[in-house]
Amino acid sequence: MVFMGSLKYPDENGFDAFLKKHGGSDNASTDCERTVFQFDVQRKYFKEALDRWAQFFIHPLMIRDAIDREVEAVDSEYQLARPSDANRKEMLFGSLARPGHPMGKFFWGNAETLKHEPKKSNIDTYTRLREFWMLYYSAHYMTLVVQSKETLDTLEKWVTEIFSQIPNNGLPKPNFGHLTDPFDTPAFNKLYRVVPIRKIHALTITWALPPQQQHYRVKPLHYISWLVGHEGKGSILSYLRKKCWALALFGGNGETGFEQNSTYSVFSISITLTDEGYEHFYEVAHTVFQYLKMLQRLGPEKRIFEEIQKIEDNEFHYQEQTDPVEYVENICENMQLYPLQDFLTGDQLLFEYKPEVIAEALNQLVPQKANLVLLSGANEGKCDLKEKWFGTQYSMEDIENSWAELWKSNFELNPDLHLPAENKYIASDFMLKAFDCPETEYPIKIVNTAQGCLWYKKDNKFKIPKAYIRFHLISPLIQKSAANVVLFDIFVNILTHNLAEPAYEADVAQLEYKLVAGEHGLIIRVKGFNHKLPLLFQLIIDYLAEFSSTPAVFTMITEQLKKTYFNILIKPETLAKDVRLLILEYARWSMIDKYRALMDGLSLESLLSFVKEFKSQLFVEGLVQGNVTSTESMDFLKYVVDKLNFMPLEQEMSVQFQVVELPGRHHLCKVRALNKGDANSEVTVYYQSGTRSLKEYTLMELLVMHMEEPCFDFLRTKQTLGYHVYPTCRNTSGILGFSVTVGTQATKYNSEVVDKKIEEFLSSFEEKIENLTEDAFNTQVTALIKLKECEDTHLGEEVDRNWNEVVTQQYLFDRLVHEIEALKSFSKSDLVTWFKAHRGPGSKMLSVHVVGFGKYEPEEDGTTLGEDSNSFCEALQLTYLPTSPMLKDSTIPITDIRAFTSTLNLFPYHKIVK
């Protein structure tokens, strides 16, 4: 509401429109004890933006009639949050707080609590909103951060002039510090069984500790979670992985307002269990308690503390700039939490070693004070309780007696659990290297053979002792069948599993690595301090060369992959993307194809023969950037080639799919979502443009930028169709298009109504751009040029852009220069003509609807499914829905994707490079 106009700038949508016009963006987030607002904009318009912004806090209008619409936005956000297990678990956890404690509040808000209930109780939401504003929006406990290339004196002058008018109510700052021990209740220290939405088995062990914020100079929970979450030899996870009981573990405090506030701090350990681990969840909990007991006996260790301290110090000293809007948001929050001298460092550094502070926190982590939450689909039917807001099914029971007795006693330690050894990956050489070849602005190809090629650029801009190494191991084998795509996924997951323990030390020393199963090859990404980076890279290639798997690990990973695929398919937005690409990209295997191939059963033998064949013939492409010489870079490629010893590919292969040419009509593919308890629907209307030039791509980008703000204003603010609404410029395997997407709820709207509203928006938009002044058009062009001219804030940003050119084999490293040049040549009439060319008769339109469950989307037999029925369309196949009379005459239904696409022409392979 604060964002919707002020006395000085009354236009409801004025600030958003102003930012969009000048390449800016804004956002706000609410937490338990604070709210953060932030924006960014082109420097030229910073002062005016600050003035418009400050007025929200000086004199916001908060018009009565806007309330109902914004309640709808809040309600949509709540509906989107409902199917998330993390949110459900948090809400359930909060409900265990003692009665009347704020930790037990409903944190989301919905139409019920903000509109219907107040009406029944004669409470005026508008009056309450204004009272809330008067009480909490007061200058004396607000903090402000501004960042710009203007001088500090100028910024100080502006801020004083613009923000001095913010009212100060003179009241003492609200404080919740007296409400300690929210979880000192009989409901805590139990076993809760919960039915999750996703397919997952997980055990979460939680302790509620006194607030830890005042110990930020020691960070005791950081020290403990470092050890508990360790994955190297002697760690909890290393032991559980060997038993094939667990796949992942993370421990600690997420530092959100929910996990750390003035009333308490949480310490929790969450373990993703295998099917086998779920059967032994008490033994898993026992392993955790044995590890903690070992730490309590040993007491805090200075060596470990200093290792963490050194790593955090290195990271701080050689940190790269972050996105300015994230940076100011972070500092603004730090100003609420730390004294002046620690604003920039308080959240990152460990300042002093105080073993007694660490021991005090550590000694509270005993079994008697722990609460256990066990998530599993196997709990279905055993859970007789229901959480009020999210409808989560759960049950509560005492810890099994034999375990409770054991944990009360002086139980034995586990000899397999011990502290980690000294870390050999911590960097100590931060020297910047000299060039060994001429400096270049863009990456150059320094190796080119039948087996592979290498692109290289030595950094001379950011001047930090870090490097980025990326490799793409391309193989035509992957896309040959759905089974192959699945075998490739299994292979990459097992390889990642095999590396987890040996590479963990590097991971904590800020050397990051990631293995990705790409569509056409294996992608290996490594980055961090260049000193020890080659060690990590070689370790990964060694494990790849000597790949192996035990039957137990194979079973564990395939079981997990079934859950992963399933969890992707039950989300409307990911299913919608899968359906859209299945129609557009010929020869693509859908997630449903992959799920079927996996459920049909694959053997360890088939995996090993797939991997052998994969490794025997490849084309390898690499990019190395940062503080590395060209000679060192060549060694990376040489290591891959020598170690894997593969043959070159018989012929060059394309790393993209061929795309079907849509007919010049409006086609509609309408399918039912797969989670029957989920009301969320996803509607996307896509317009296909074709094989286009770089200039035309840039024009499409400009069009979509013009569309963003009116799209939001029409579909969300005015029509309240949903929380997520956005237009997108689409490059689908080189074929250009654009789309408009709305996430809505079947409890509020029918998907075809939304489709019609999108059409209504596009018609009104056509009129809008026809009436655009040349001046307004040029402003938007300038905004897009400025965004493209904007310097990279850190090396990773530059590498990401260059890598995208390599991985898609386009190699147009100076793409931005060409796009800026194109933008300078456009006139308003180009934009109007271009938009009209994609509309009207003969336009290639595709609507994809993934339809949720609710009263506006009845089942075939006229029934509607209620909320919280946690059942899924188990067969997991697409159910095509008929078109209603609303769109029957204007659209052609797609009721079988493969049959539809098999009749269409294919575009030639195309890249947008000229």
Side-chain angles (χ1 to χ4, degrees):
M1 291 294 293
V2 170
F3 272 117
M4 303 186 81
S6 61
L7 194 65
K8 184 172 176 183
Y9 301 100
D11 193 9
E12 179 178 270
N13 215 43
F15 188 63
D16 270 351
F18 180 80
L19 289 182
K20 281 283 184 287
K21 204 155 78 188
H22 303 300
S25 64
D26 61 348
N27 207 349
S29 56
T30 52
D31 210 332
C32 298
E33 296 181 293
R34 61 190 63 87
T35 300
V36 183
F37 296 85
Q38 75 265 13
F39 80 89
D40 62 355
V41 74
Q42 270 175 52
R43 177 181 162 191
K44 187 177 170 186
Y45 299 97
F46 191 41
K47 187 180 181 185
E48 186 181 341
L50 278 174
D51 188 44
R52 287 168 173 270
W53 168 262
Q55 291 302 317
F56 292 146
F57 305 99
I58 295 168
H59 210 307
L61 291 180
M62 297 204 280
I63 299 169
R64 190 181 273 276
D65 81 305
I67 284 193
D68 275 358
R69 284 176 296 151
E70 285 309 292
V71 165
E72 285 306 324
V74 171
D75 190 72
S76 278
E77 190 180 18
Y78 156 75
Q79 297 286 354
L80 285 164
R82 271 184 71 105
S84 149
D85 286 322
N87 295 332
R88 295 165 84 91
K89 210 167 83 178
E90 190 173 271
M91 209 64 253
L92 177 61
F93 184 73
S95 75
L96 308 181
R98 53 191 165 80
H101 193 283
M103 280 300 294
K105 285 182 179 177
F106 174 41
F107 289 105
W108 289 88
N110 61 14
E112 199 48 46
T113 60
L114 294 168
K115 188 173 173 178
H116 306 312
E117 280 175 18
K119 260 197 189 117
K120 283 182 210 148
S121 319
N122 280 328
I123 294 171
D124 181 26
T125 306
Y126 176 72
T127 310
R128 290 293 289 273
L129 195 68
R130 292 211 79 85
E131 284 168 4
F132 185 91
W133 186 80
M134 298 290 286
L135 184 59
Y136 293 112
Y137 279 56
S138 178
H140 62 313
Y141 44 84
M142 290 183 180
T143 50
L144 171 71
V145 181
V146 296
Q147 174 176 327
S148 168
K149 289 253 176 99
E150 304 291 345
T151 65
L152 288 176
D153 289 350
T154 305
L155 288 173
E156 187 177 353
K157 187 166 150 281
W158 288 357
V159 165
T160 314
E161 188 181 306
I162 292 171
F163 288 87
S164 296
Q165 298 304 307
I166 293 183
N168 181 336
N169 64 21
L171 298 169
K173 182 177 177 175
N175 183 358
F176 306 94
H178 57 292
L179 301 165
T180 49
D181 301 322
F183 296 102
D184 185 10
T185 73
F188 212 67
N189 321 125
K190 302 276 188 199
L191 168 64
Y192 287 86
R193 293 178 187 267
V194 175
V195 181
I197 295 287
R198 293 173 306 148
K199 277 204 174 168
I200 187 169
H201 304 298
L203 174 68
T204 303
I205 306 173
T206 311
W207 291 267
L209 308 177
Q212 296 291 313
Q213 181 59 42
Q214 78 263 29
H215 300 308
Y216 78 90
R217 297 185 66 78
V218 184
K219 298 193 171 51
L221 299 188
H222 187 52
Y223 172 92
I224 301 167
S225 67
W226 175 274
L227 291 168
V228 166
H230 208 280
E231 298 180 22
K233 280 194 175 44
S235 65
I236 301 172
L237 189 58
S238 166
Y239 176 79
L240 295 176
R241 275 185 175 141
K242 286 193 178 67
K243 288 270 201 192
C244 282
W245 284 352
L247 293 146
L249 176 155
F250 57 93
N253 182 303
E255 292 177 10
T256 59
F258 186 89
E259 296 194 11
Q260 174 147 297
N261 54 52
S262 57
T263 74
Y264 94 121
S265 284
V266 84
F267 188 86
S268 68
I269 299 171
S270 281
I271 304 166
T272 307
L273 303 171
T274 59
D275 295 356
E276 188 77 1
Y278 167 72
E279 299 298 332
H280 295 92
F281 76 89
Y282 271 122
E283 283 98 325
V284 171
H286 186 57
T287 307
V288 171
F289 296 147
Q290 286 177 309
Y291 189 86
L292 289 166
K293 188 170 180 179
M294 180 264 301
L295 294 185
Q296 287 153 356
R297 273 205 192 154
L298 288 173
E301 293 248 342
K302 195 164 191 195
R303 166 182 79 84
I304 303 274
F305 184 87
E306 285 174 348
E307 196 169 281
I308 304 171
Q309 192 175 36
K310 178 84 189 108
I311 287 171
E312 298 294 355
D313 268 356
N314 285 349
E315 187 53 22
F316 183 80
H317 273 289
Y318 299 102
Q319 67 184 317
E320 302 184 62
Q321 240 183 309
T322 48
D323 185 11
V325 78
E326 284 170 24
Y327 189 67
V328 293
E329 180 190 4
N330 189 36
I331 302 299
C332 200
E333 207 157 330
N334 284 0
M335 289 168 71
Q336 297 269 340
L337 298 171
Y338 307 109
L340 177 68
Q341 70 276 16
D342 298 330
F343 283 172
L344 303 179
T345 52
D347 57 340
Q348 280 187 43
L349 298 183
L350 280 68
F351 299 91
E352 48 200 27
Y353 177 59
K354 285 193 177 168
E356 68 284 3
V357 172
I358 297 172
E360 195 183 339
L362 184 57
N363 292 336
Q364 297 190 56
L365 306 180
V366 293
Q368 292 85 315
K369 290 187 174 180
N371 187 63
L372 272 56
V373 176
L374 182 65
L375 263 76
S376 170
N379 294 327
E380 183 92 59
K382 302 179 199 161
C383 295
D384 48 347
L385 301 171
K386 203 174 192 182
E387 190 276 319
K388 180 178 177 185
W389 298 109
F390 282 60
T392 311
Q393 298 167 15
Y394 72 99
S395 68
M396 171 177 125
E397 60 196 77
D398 287 327
I399 304 290
E400 205 172 280
N401 203 17
S402 57
W403 288 104
E405 288 305 314
L406 175 65
W407 292 336
K408 268 187 214 146
S409 70
N410 186 10
F411 54 86
E412 285 185 13
L413 294 183
N414 181 335
D416 291 324
L417 302 175
H418 56 80
L419 290 177
E422 204 164 315
N423 191 327
K424 65 171 188 288
Y425 286 97
I426 298 178
S428 53
D429 174 5
F430 302 109
M431 281 289 290
L432 293 180
K433 300 181 177 182
F435 281 86
D436 64 347
C437 65
E439 194 180 334
T440 58
E441 195 179 346
Y442 300 108
I444 47 165
K445 198 187 267 197
I446 57 170
V447 181
N448 192 12
T449 69
Q451 283 169 298
C453 63
L454 184 72
W455 297 86
Y456 165 78
K457 178 178 182 276
K458 165 90 168 75
D459 169 59
N460 199 23
K461 178 179 175 186
F462 297 98
K463 297 186 170 42
I464 47 160
K466 292 184 181 176
Y468 287 75
I469 308 167
R470 303 210 173 160
F471 275 87
H472 191 195
L473 282 56
I474 301 167
S475 161
L477 193 62
I478 302 165
Q479 289 293 340
K480 282 219 170 107
S481 67
N484 275 16
V485 180
V486 177
L487 287 168
F488 185 53
D489 274 348
I490 296 171
F491 160 54
V492 176
N493 282 341
I494 294 179
L495 182 56
T496 305
H497 172 85
N498 292 348
L499 274 164
E501 188 173 304
Y504 185 76
E505 295 284 327
D507 197 38
V508 292
Q510 258 97 24
L511 302 184
E512 295 173 40
Y513 71 97
K514 193 163 173 59
L515 304 176
V516 180
E519 321 249 49
H520 307 283
L522 170 62
I523 297 168
I524 300 172
R525 299 204 298 247
V526 186
K527 70 169 185 182
F529 291 114
N530 55 271
H531 182 196
K532 305 284 178 103
L533 204 59
L535 289 178
L536 174 61
F537 183 75
Q538 288 162 10
L539 180 78
I540 294 169
I541 302 303
D542 293 350
Y543 270 75
L544 171 60
E546 290 138 36
F547 178 81
S548 66
S549 174
T550 62
V553 168
F554 176 78
T555 305
M556 170 171 92
I557 295 291
T558 47
E559 285 308 308
Q560 190 56 23
L561 196 57
K562 285 175 190 171
K563 298 187 177 90
T564 305
Y565 287 172
F566 180 88
N567 295 337
I568 288 170
L569 284 167
I570 61 171
K571 283 193 179 140
E573 65 275 26
T574 39
L575 181 60
K577 178 182 177 179
D578 198 47
V579 169
R580 179 172 53 81
L581 292 181
L582 185 58
I583 295 172
L584 295 175
E585 296 185 332
Y586 198 67
R588 167 188 275 281
W589 302 101
S590 74
M591 190 51 82
I592 290 187
D593 295 329
K594 287 163 68 174
Y595 186 72
R596 289 237 180 91
L598 186 54
M599 295 309 274
D600 288 345
L602 296 161
S603 67
L604 177 54
E605 293 69 47
S606 62
L607 173 73
L608 296 173
S609 75
F610 170 84
V611 173
K612 193 176 164 189
E613 201 183 332
F614 171 80
K615 287 192 300 187
S616 67
Q617 249 190 338
L618 295 165
F619 184 75
V620 176
E621 244 179 316
L623 170 70
V624 180
Q625 284 194 233
N627 189 32
V628 197
T629 64
S630 67
T631 320
E632 289 169 322
S633 300
M634 292 182 201
D635 289 343
F636 291 122
L637 178 61
K638 187 174 175 338
Y639 197 83
V640 177
V641 173
D642 292 353
K643 201 76 194 175
L644 296 179
N645 193 12
F646 54 89
M647 296 294 290
L649 298 182
E650 277 151 32
Q651 64 222 56
E652 271 189 47
M653 66 168 273
S654 181
V655 291
Q656 55 189 153
F657 292 103
Q658 264 190 288
V659 176
V660 301
E661 183 169 1
L662 292 174
R665 295 285 304 276
H666 184 178
H667 281 80
L668 166 64
C669 184
K670 190 173 170 186
V671 300
R672 186 54 96 176
L674 298 171
N675 173 3
K676 295 183 177 172
D678 190 349
N680 290 297
S681 297
E682 182 93 355
V683 177
T684 297
V685 180
Y686 167 81
Y687 283 79
Q688 189 177 63
S689 183
T691 52
R692 300 293 188 171
S693 67
L694 193 72
K695 190 170 177 176
E696 289 162 320
Y697 173 82
T698 312
L699 188 53
M700 187 68 91
E701 246 192 313
L702 182 65
L703 177 72
V704 168
M705 193 173 181
H706 269 281
M707 224 182 257
E708 279 172 1
E709 185 273 327
C711 177
F712 187 92
D713 186 46
F714 184 93
L715 297 169
R716 176 173 151 172
T717 306
K718 296 202 169 49
Q719 302 285 340
T720 66
L721 296 178
Y723 184 77
H724 285 305
V725 305
Y726 54 92
T728 318
C729 178
R730 300 264 180 211
N731 174 355
T732 311
S733 279
I735 304 303
L736 187 61
F738 76 90
S739 65
V740 177
T741 300
V742 173
T744 191
Q745 283 85 36
T747 44
K748 298 179 183 175
Y749 294 100
N750 176 283
S751 69
E752 296 189 20
V753 172
V754 174
D755 199 298
K756 272 198 123 54
K757 289 285 183 196
I758 292 175
E759 176 52 38
E760 207 179 301
F761 158 67
L762 290 168
S763 303
S764 71
F765 177 69
E766 187 169 326
E767 198 179 320
K768 200 176 176 98
I769 56 171
E770 281 183 320
N771 296 328
L772 204 61
T773 63
E774 283 298 333
D775 209 22
F777 171 79
N778 291 330
T779 305
Q780 196 73 71
V781 170
T782 308
L784 189 50
I785 289 175
K786 287 278 184 247
L787 283 175
K788 290 183 184 294
E789 284 176 341
C790 203
E791 287 179 72
D792 297 316
T793 49
H794 56 97
L795 180 57
E797 211 175 318
E798 182 188 314
V799 174
D800 281 342
R801 196 173 52 247
N802 289 337
W803 177 241
N804 189 49
E805 296 295 334
V806 173
V807 88
T808 56
Q809 296 186 342
Q810 298 184 95
Y811 313 120
L812 192 67
F813 297 110
D814 59 349
R815 184 176 295 275
L816 289 171
V817 177
H818 296 284
E819 290 177 343
I820 289 166
E821 206 173 303
L823 280 167
K824 289 178 176 165
S825 70
F826 295 139
S827 67
K828 184 195 123 175
S829 63
D830 293 335
L831 188 73
V832 177
T833 314
W834 176 249
F835 182 60
K836 285 185 163 171
H838 288 84
R839 304 255 307 147
S843 64
K844 301 169 183 174
M845 279 174 77
L846 170 67
S847 289
V848 174
H849 297 193
V850 172
V851 177
F853 294 84
K855 64 178 178 187
Y856 290 99
E857 302 286 3
E859 292 284 306
E860 307 288 83
D861 55 11
T863 58
T864 59
L865 275 151
E867 293 174 358
D868 312 324
S869 56
N870 217 7
S871 61
F872 302 101
C873 310
E874 264 311 330
L876 282 202
Q877 55 198 21
L878 293 180
T879 307
Y880 296 94
L881 300 177
T883 316
S884 76
M886 192 181 308
L887 290 181
K888 221 179 183 77
D889 299 336
S890 55
T891 62
I892 301 169
I894 297 175
T895 50
D896 178 340
I897 291 176
R898 293 263 191 248
F900 170 67
T901 57
S902 64
T903 63
L904 303 178
N905 294 330
L906 296 181
F907 284 112
Y909 284 116
H910 180 71
K911 291 172 187 166
I912 305 179
V913 288
K914 287 193 175 61

